[in-house]
Amino acid sequence: MISVVVVGLVGLAAVTLLAVWLVSLYNKLVRMRNQVDASWSQIDVQLKRRHDLIPNIVETVKGYAAHERGTLDAVVTARGAAMAHSGGDAGQADAESALSGALGRLIALGEAYPQLRANENFAALQAELATTENKIAYSRQFVTYAVQQYNTAIESFPANLIAGLLGFHRRELFAVAGSERGPVEVSF
């Protein structure tokens, strides 16, 4: 009789420990998934700021470099494509990479036009854009770290046994497009 009670208590303790572990694991994975989502949101904030700066830069450059229409059109087109993507997917990363390349060519126009480089408005916009680009780079690093931690957690044993059942799936790292890995090409 006593052995049945002991076995029952041990079984109840084991089930309780398993339930506590499952709840703890679930909560940890939810926190990590939310951190990944919040990290992407931080990038979205900086990208919005960049998208808002671009029309001002384009208008400033138009006055000095009207015959650089191809560069200006490329920036406007890339901005539109980048704004069409959101939510931290691979398409957004590709569109933002294309926009970064187009912006690099636009900012390089300042080197070809000394009067543009001397324009206070252009200089201020260029400085704001540089600050925003630095914040985007930092945010990308944080997203990469958060995604790496999350993916490791859901792929590690024993969490991997239940992560898929609980709706936790691998997230893609923020990858730089091949064109952004090399130097920015500037042609006049």
Side-chain angles (χ1 to χ4, degrees):
M1 177 79 164
I2 292 179
S3 64
V4 172
V5 171
V6 170
V7 169
L9 288 175
V10 168
L12 181 61
V15 168
T16 302
L17 285 174
L18 180 62
V20 167
W21 176 77
L22 284 173
V23 168
S24 175
L25 176 64
Y26 179 80
N27 289 339
K28 174 185 173 186
L29 295 176
V30 166
R31 274 191 309 276
M32 295 178 93
R33 181 179 58 197
N34 290 342
Q35 182 64 52
V36 169
D37 292 341
S39 300
W40 274 109
S41 293
Q42 288 300 316
I43 286 182
D44 285 341
V45 166
Q46 296 306 322
L47 294 177
K48 168 89 170 87
R49 182 170 185 241
R50 176 167 73 168
H51 296 163
D52 291 346
L53 284 171
I54 290 170
N56 296 328
I57 292 173
V58 168
E59 286 303 315
T60 302
V61 172
K62 274 184 185 177
Y64 290 93
H67 64 281
E68 297 289 350
R69 193 78 187 148
T71 301
L72 297 173
D73 289 344
V75 170
V76 170
T77 301
R79 177 182 179 259
M83 290 180 70
H85 286 79
S86 64
D89 61 1
Q92 182 181 16
D94 292 342
E96 291 299 335
S97 293
L99 179 56
S100 292
L103 280 174
R105 291 186 298 277
L106 178 68
I107 296 302
L109 287 177
E111 298 301 316
Y113 297 94
Q115 69 274 26
L116 175 60
R117 190 176 44 224
N119 180 290
E120 289 178 22
N121 191 28
F122 180 75
L125 290 168
Q126 189 176 14
E128 276 190 63
L129 186 60
T131 299
T132 301
E133 292 297 326
N134 289 336
K135 289 178 181 180
I136 291 170
Y138 175 77
S139 296
R140 286 177 177 174
Q141 289 174 346
F142 191 75
V143 164
T144 299
Y145 175 76
V147 169
Q148 182 262 330
Q149 293 293 312
Y150 173 76
N151 286 345
T152 299
I154 66 170
E155 294 173 357
S156 297
F157 183 81
N160 65 339
L161 298 176
I162 61 164
L165 297 173
L166 296 175
F168 296 94
H169 304 287
R170 183 172 174 73
R171 296 287 185 95
E172 293 300 315
L173 293 169
F174 194 102
V176 175
S179 62
E180 199 174 325
R181 291 180 191 266
V184 175
E185 291 185 29
V186 180
S187 59
F188 300 107

